[in-house]
Amino acid sequence: HQAGDVRDLSEIEAKHIMDTTISKFANNAMRTIGVAYRDIDMLRPDALDAATLNSDGSPAYACETGLTLLGVLGIEDPLRPEVAPAIAKCYKAGIDVRMVTGDNLQTAIAIA
């Protein structure tokens, strides 16, 4: 394909991006951000796309579908310096510390 061509991303290509780029960033405790766009002339902001469902089964907003992926970025979000001593104090006091996060599982493991 020519650079700049817009085409559908195959499942194999999506898996390749996940296995190489996203996993690499996540294993290095980086947050991943997909950068994508869609040209919109006239679209109500609350318009739904019943053909595309969110993870909870509800229809996705139309403006969130049919996007063109530009790339995937990895950003560092280092722990604040006071986190490790605070966790150590909790352990010393007999408190079990649990992490709850919306991060990619690999990112969460790398951070922990």
Side-chain angles (χ1 to χ4, degrees), residues 27-73:
N27 287 330
N28 286 296
M30 299 177 86
R31 303 262 170 99
T32 55
I33 301 173
V35 180
Y37 76 95
R38 175 180 175 184
D39 289 329
I40 300 175
D41 291 328
M42 296 293 290
L43 183 66
R44 289 187 9 239
D46 60 346
L48 300 176
D49 179 355
T52 305
L53 301 179
N54 293 313
S55 60
D56 67 358
S58 64
Y61 287 109
C63 61
E64 299 174 336
T65 65
L67 301 174
T68 298
L69 179 67
L70 296 175
V72 178
L73 309 174

Side-chain angles (χ1 to χ4, degrees), residues 10-29:
S10 73
E11 286 187 34
I12 292 171
E13 291 167 319
K15 183 175 180 349
H16 178 73
I17 292 169
M18 184 64 161
D19 291 346
T20 58
T21 306
I22 295 173
S23 291
K24 182 178 178 181
F25 288 149
N27 287 330
N28 286 296

Side-chain angles (χ1 to χ4, degrees), residues 8-9 12 14 16 33 43 46 50 52 59 62 67 72 77 79 81-84 90 101 106 109 111:
D8 288 340
L9 189 66
I12 292 171
H16 178 73
I33 301 173
L43 183 66
D46 60 346
T52 305
L67 301 174
V72 178
D77 187 12
L79 292 176
E82 64 270 18
V83 171
C90 289
T101 180
Q106 292 167 286
I109 290 169
I111 291 169

